Amino acid sequence: MNSRRDFLQKLTTSAVAIPFLPLYGSSEQFNFYDQLYDGPVLRVAIMGLGSYGTRVAEAMQNCKRAKLVGVISGTPAKVKDWQAKYGIPKKNCYNYENYDSVKDNPDIDAIYVITPNALHHPAVLRIAAAGKHAICEKPMALNAQQGQEMVDACNKANVKLLVGYRMHFEPNTLEIIRMRNEGEFGKILFFEGLSGFKIGDPNQWRLNKELAGGGSLMDIGVYSINGARYMVGEDPIWVTAQETKTDPIKFKEGVDETILFQLGFPTGAVASCLSTYSMNHLDRFFLNGDKGFAELQPSTGYGPIKGRTHKGELTKPHVTHQTLQVDKMAGVILAGEQAVVPVDGVEAVKDLKIIDAIYEVCKTGAKKTLEL
């Protein structure tokens, strides 16, 4: 966790001044990315060098409190390319068989797991055993039992477990949360979350139950599940759900195409959400209260996120989500800072419990009580 004054002096010549929301949720904003930072830096290795891993790596080039220093991959050619592109030393390069030896590498503080869903659980257990902090993409695991095992392993090893909830740091999203907390929407009555797109290649891992753990719900549907919770500001106490499948060849047994689900909250608010792999143009959140409303469309895409409330358009400037996410996660790990909306493993286990329940009630047709 060394400082890198020279690196950041070069970085700030190209950085854009953007208001930065502190992790503590203060209304104070400051031009974090327009200031020289010379504090501790989280040194991160990325596991999984696919398309999203590449997106995170590119975004991390603009981070101030985190730096990409290592890779873990089963593809030697990718490792070689990343070494050349990002200046990663050979001693910080691992494959899926030997990365346990990262425990002996003091130059890596955390490993960001960006692999197919089924690989998250074993990877985080090994990372914890190696004494490194873990950042894991969502869904954190295939089910709540696996997720809890991951939380327990990291607690036992005294390392952090964070999950890639990038929207928890997105400025317009946080503005809605601030307004709700200050009562500007009044009593929250209703939330709608629409998350979906037409998925392409039928042979990709997202349509393989062994690797994905399901279908659309385990991918895009997580956004509406988690979004319902942070937009309403409560955890749900019951769930109902219905599954629809129009293409059983592409969406095989155990791989859901479209799921409608409904959530009920302690204060009486209800949520109606859609998760699908068969419809485009579905990226919208709507929150309704007895004094006002908030809408985000797009609500969870890579940005810019756009929205409005009963008071007018939301105008927070766009910052690359993964840059904000990793920088602020560095604050959580290095300085014990707290996110406005939690991004730890405990948060992820709650989402996994809801996913487990949705799949169950799709089969039973019954309303299920939730205990998160």
Side-chain angles (χ1 to χ4, degrees), residues 19 118 178 184 190 224 239 268 281 295:
R178 181 199 66 77
E184 296 186 37
F190 175 73
S224 279
V239 60
H281 316 300
E295 179 184 38

Side-chain angles (χ1 to χ4, degrees), residues 11-250:
L11 172 64
T12 52
T13 62
S14 60
V16 178
I18 42 183
F20 182 87
L21 292 169
L23 282 166
Y24 299 105
S26 165
S27 59
E28 178 185 3
Q29 296 184 13
F30 58 95
N31 291 331
F32 180 80
Y33 287 95
D34 198 35
Q35 299 176 355
L36 180 64
Y37 175 76
D38 196 29
V41 170
L42 184 72
R43 297 165 300 178
V44 179
I46 288 180
M47 175 187 293
L49 311 186
S51 60
Y52 194 72
T54 299
R55 182 180 291 273
V56 172
E58 288 296 303
M60 284 187 65
Q61 301 312 294
N62 290 324
C63 283
K64 297 183 70 172
R65 293 201 282 186
K67 182 180 181 181
L68 174 63
V69 300
V71 294
I72 301 169
S73 174
T75 308
K78 286 185 178 180
V79 172
K80 187 175 180 180
D81 289 344
W82 280 51
Q83 277 189 269
K85 185 171 184 177
Y86 300 110
I88 297 170
K90 186 175 181 179
K91 67 182 180 64
N92 290 354
C93 297
Y94 300 87
N95 59 46
Y96 293 122
E97 285 71 47
N98 68 12
Y99 73 86
D100 303 275
S101 61
V102 73
K103 67 179 182 296
D104 300 316
N105 189 337
D107 295 333
I108 294 175
D109 305 311
I111 297 174
Y112 194 156
V113 180
I114 310 176
T115 62
N117 302 339
L119 306 182
H120 294 177
H121 173 260
V124 168
L125 297 187
R126 290 171 67 180
I127 292 165
K132 302 299 181 179
H133 301 292
I135 303 171
C136 184
E137 262 311 304
K138 59 195 177 302
M140 186 176 72
L142 297 186
N143 53 58
Q145 179 179 337
Q146 285 189 355
Q148 190 59 54
E149 290 172 359
M150 294 159 73
V151 170
D152 293 343
C154 290
N155 286 340
K156 182 178 179 181
N158 196 31
V159 296
K160 297 283 189 183
L161 171 56
L162 305 181
V163 182
Y165 290 115
R166 57 187 170 82
M167 304 314 299
H168 292 199
F169 306 107
E170 196 281 316
N172 285 319
T173 301
L174 288 179
E175 175 62 11
I176 291 174
I177 292 171
R178 181 199 66 77
M179 292 176 68
R180 185 205 66 223
N181 287 342
E182 294 185 6
E184 296 186 37
F185 304 125
K187 177 179 172 59
I188 301 301
L189 303 172
F190 175 73
F191 170 79
E192 181 182 52
L194 304 178
S195 300
F197 62 92
K198 280 189 176 181
I199 197 163
D201 180 8
N203 298 313
Q204 63 182 283
W205 70 263
R206 288 178 178 82
L207 297 177
N208 180 332
K209 187 180 188 304
E210 296 304 313
L211 290 175
S216 69
L217 192 69
M218 294 294 289
D219 180 18
I220 194 70
V222 177
Y223 287 102
S224 279
I225 292 171
N226 190 251
R229 295 175 53 225
Y230 64 68
M231 293 285 278
V232 173
E234 298 180 294
D235 285 333
I237 56 175
W238 59 258
V239 60
T240 56
Q242 307 82 36
E243 180 179 359
T244 302
K245 186 172 292 190
T246 65
D247 188 348
I249 296 176
K250 186 173 186 177

